[in-house]
Amino acid sequence: MSGELLLWLLALCVLLAVVVQLVRFLRADGDLTLLWAEWQGRRPEWELTDMVVWVTGASGGIGEELAYQLSKLGVSLVLSARRVHELERVKRRCLENGNLKEKDILVLPLDLTDRSSHEMATKAVLQEFGKIDILVNNGGRSQRSLVVDASLDVYKELIELNYLGTVSLTKCVLPHMIERKQGKIVTVNSVLGIIAAPLSSGYCASKHALRGFFNGLRTELATYPGIIISNICPGPVQSNIVHNALTEEVTKAVGSGGDQSYKMATSRCVRLMLVSMANDLKEVWIADQPFLSMTYLWQYMPTWAWWITNKVGKKRIENFKSGVDADAYFKTWKAKHD
């Protein structure tokens, strides 16, 4: 076989490999490192058993689903949120469908904005289970309002809850992990902690702040390789986050979740979160297309990302002002490409 023919065959193989990877990316629902870990990495069923996991925001959405999936792994669970009756409902279902007993689940009501209560809550967990292996910072609220219309109190509430509340609880748990020289602090951020979008300026600000804080904390913990800081950045996921989102006033929520059909199933998002936790990944992006591609563009080609965001953002604002679901555009896109 001639050298020229070998070169042509090699080029064809390279081209084919590129095409295959492109097709895989277009169908991906997570960043490439995360999907590799799901395929070849450590399994949550092997790595997370017998751990004590504290989940905030456990009364609904991602936090609720996380509790259900963790309950099947044989962990000890601490469920926190403000709504005690909802936490009790989640606990009952964990006991019904999981592998846990009553003694394995602690319902611990917690208001992230009441920072004076965080130290006592941490002591209550340690008294109950003796350790905290994983803290999952999942509590928070979103936003659906324009900057020009939103009260400054809305921004204050988002920073108090999403950012300062999370930082406060983390600071209470951190000394225990430093003492043990091990632990995982997993923070449910958002792709809006990487990119930006209209109608969510305060939410974006709180999530960008969280990403900066935990990236900074990770550098300070370089001498403690057993303490893992992980940022989870989901795109749109089926939950009540839009239903509970703040509008132009703190006292007024959206009250409607809109169409959820185009969003990722909560169970899939949580499964990928568990894969990330099992493999100690520092940051993961969990999103269907086109949100995953937009995240890559914002990270690596911001000029192009700005151009696309401005185009899509105008339509999002038009939908919002006309009373239509702000994200109806994405439902149409997904229907065309499925």
Side-chain angles (χ1 to χ4, degrees):
M1 185 180 293
S2 68
E4 185 176 353
L5 182 57
L6 279 173
L7 287 175
W8 274 105
L9 287 174
L10 180 60
L12 183 61
C13 289
V14 170
L15 179 61
L16 182 61
V18 170
V19 170
V20 168
Q21 292 303 318
L22 179 61
V23 171
R24 289 183 64 187
F25 177 74
L26 292 176
R27 298 180 63 85
D29 57 3
D31 69 80
L32 301 182
T33 303
L34 173 59
L35 295 184
W36 178 264
E38 183 185 27
W39 181 37
Q40 292 288 333
R42 301 188 294 269
R43 318 304 295 173
E45 292 79 7
W46 306 338
E47 299 296 323
L48 304 180
T49 303
D50 298 326
M51 289 191 172
V52 176
V53 185
W54 186 1
V55 182
T56 67
S59 61
I62 290 175
E64 178 179 353
E65 178 63 27
L66 182 60
Y68 297 150
Q69 293 195 28
L70 284 169
S71 70
K72 298 177 181 179
L73 300 182
V75 305
S76 296
L77 270 176
V78 182
L79 305 177
S80 287
R82 286 182 287 192
R83 298 176 295 170
V84 180
H85 64 286
E86 289 297 318
L87 292 175
E88 292 290 351
R89 175 185 59 80
V90 173
K91 177 182 177 179
R92 286 194 300 271
R93 188 170 168 189
C94 286
L95 293 173
E96 291 168 1
N97 301 327
N99 299 321
L100 303 182
K101 299 178 181 179
E102 183 83 24
K103 65 178 180 62
D104 298 319
I105 304 178
L106 172 65
V107 168
L108 183 64
L110 183 74
D111 183 349
L112 283 175
T113 62
D114 182 10
R115 298 197 293 275
S116 63
S117 68
H118 295 176
E119 188 68 43
M120 189 66 69
T122 303
K123 290 179 179 178
V125 176
L126 293 175
Q127 183 175 355
E128 182 73 17
F129 294 116
K131 63 175 183 174
I132 301 170
D133 292 300
I134 305 177
L135 170 65
V136 181
N137 291 310
N138 176 65
R141 293 183 74 176
S142 187
Q143 177 193 12
R144 284 294 184 278
S145 55
L146 294 166
V147 172
V148 70
D149 298 327
S151 163
L152 191 61
D153 288 339
V154 169
Y155 293 91
K156 181 180 178 181
E157 177 71 12
L158 289 166
I159 292 297
E160 287 282 349
L161 176 59
N162 295 359
Y163 177 64
L164 290 176
T166 298
V167 169
S168 172
L169 189 61
T170 298
K171 281 175 61 61
C172 290
V173 173
L174 186 60
H176 166 70
M177 292 187 174
I178 289 176
E179 183 180 353
R180 298 179 66 219
K181 298 183 179 180
Q182 63 182 24
K184 304 175 192 283
I185 299 176
V186 179
T187 301
V188 180
N189 199 298
S190 169
V191 295
L192 291 183
I194 301 169
I195 70 176
L199 305 174
S200 301
S201 55
Y203 180 73
C204 288
S206 68
K207 294 299 185 177
H208 277 73
L210 278 178
R211 191 180 187 221
F213 172 81
F214 282 104
N215 283 344
L217 175 59
R218 188 186 298 111
T219 66
E220 294 183 14
L221 294 173
T223 54
Y224 296 94
I227 301 177
I228 307 301
I229 305 297
S230 180
N231 291 323
I232 309 291
C233 300
V237 174
Q238 294 173 5
S239 71
N240 287 327
I241 190 168
V242 176
H243 181 278
N244 297 322
L246 296 173
T247 57
E248 64 274 8
E249 298 292 341
V250 172
T251 56
K252 182 181 177 184
V254 171
S256 171
D259 189 356
Q260 302 269 330
S261 61
Y262 71 93
K263 299 180 180 180
M264 178 183 286
T266 316
S267 57
R268 174 59 177 165
C269 175
V270 168
R271 177 61 190 179
L272 290 176
M273 285 178 59
L274 293 177
V275 170
S276 172
M277 291 158 63
N279 288 275
D280 296 336
L281 301 183
K282 294 178 176 63
E283 179 170 290
V284 298
W285 306 341
I286 303 172
D288 288 323
Q289 301 291 5
F291 307 102
L292 183 63
S293 292
M294 280 301 298
T295 307
Y296 269 96
L297 282 175
W298 270 84
Q299 184 78 1
Y300 299 110
M301 291 181 280
T303 301
W304 284 21
W306 271 117
W307 183 81
I308 296 172
T309 300
N310 287 339
K311 294 289 184 183
V312 176
K314 288 179 182 178
K315 185 63 178 175
R316 196 169 192 249
I317 294 172
E318 288 172 8
N319 287 345
F320 176 75
K321 288 183 174 180
S322 61
V324 180
D325 183 0
D327 296 320
Y329 167 84
F330 297 112
K331 177 187 174 184
T332 304
W333 187 94
K334 189 172 179 64
K336 288 180 179 179
H337 291 83
D338 276 352

